[in-house]
Amino acid sequence: MVAQILLTGDDLKDDNRRRNFENTMSRLLELGTLPIINENDTIATEEIAVGDNDRLGAIVACAIGADLLILLSDINGLYTADPHTDPSAQLISRVEAITPEIEALAGGKGSGLAVGGMGTKLKAAKMTGDRGIDMIIANGQQPELLYDIMDGKDVGTRFIGKR
């Protein structure tokens, strides 16, 4: 079972609204529900916008003390080069730390619909990693991969949180 939650930056800044969100998340997780969280773009203005769903996911994961953040994207994970232009690009399955070399692999925005591309995903990985939370980037066009991730299989790129 899934539930979609739409948030704005104000929902996370206001103490009462944040507590309500945290209580809702706790209850959904108690019920075994998979929460799908997105920024409420229909009402978010520049003043209350989070900015991108990667950052929003990291903020939420940190707020609720998640064990794992999964970011579904239009790409399988982080590569050694841009796989759209370099046929020798290799998927990196595990990243222990966000180093300058890893940051250099981010390149620019991905699809024309993307807000931030790999750069925002790496910022999310740094934010969650600093809190001890692992993060995975996987291909959202293959939602069945969620089962593999939950079974502990090697999917996409896993960023290891600090222990």
Side-chain angles (χ1 to χ4, degrees):
M1 198 171 341
V2 299
Q4 182 177 31
I5 298 175
L6 300 174
L7 295 175
T8 66
D10 278 353
D11 294 326
L12 300 169
K13 291 176 189 168
D14 179 86
D15 287 341
N16 190 47
R17 289 163 73 175
R18 189 186 71 253
R19 262 192 313 278
N20 288 338
F21 164 70
E22 290 170 356
N23 290 336
T24 298
M25 286 294 296
S26 292
R27 185 65 180 135
L28 288 172
L29 294 172
E30 284 173 11
L31 294 171
T33 303
L34 175 65
I36 307 294
I37 303 166
N38 284 296
E39 185 164 18
N40 193 347
D41 297 338
T42 60
I43 64 165
T45 62
E46 190 173 328
E47 300 82 45
I48 62 173
V50 173
D52 63 76
N53 283 323
D54 300 331
R55 182 169 177 253
L56 176 64
I59 290 168
V60 168
C62 291
I64 66 168
D67 297 321
L68 175 67
L69 171 62
I70 302 169
L71 297 181
L72 297 179
S73 185
D74 61 352
I75 194 165
N76 294 336
L78 180 66
Y79 283 81
T80 56
D82 183 348
H84 298 108
T85 59
D86 185 346
S88 67
Q90 298 291 314
L91 179 68
I92 300 170
S93 64
R94 186 177 178 99
V95 175
E96 297 287 337
I98 308 295
T99 63
E101 294 79 15
I102 293 294
E103 289 174 335
L105 297 174
K109 290 183 182 181
S111 72
L113 299 175
V115 173
M118 193 57 68
T120 63
K121 289 169 183 45
L122 292 182
K123 288 178 183 173
K126 181 157 180 34
M127 185 184 300
T128 56
D130 286 347
R131 297 295 270 305
I133 300 168
D134 285 6
M135 188 187 96
I136 294 176
I137 300 171
N139 194 320
Q141 295 175 345
Q142 300 170 309
E144 65 277 3
L145 292 178
L146 290 171
Y147 293 110
D148 292 339
I149 291 169
M150 299 315 293
D151 287 340
K153 295 180 182 173
D154 194 21
V155 174
T157 301
R158 180 179 285 262
F159 296 83
I160 306 303
K162 293 178 181 174
R163 304 287 192 255

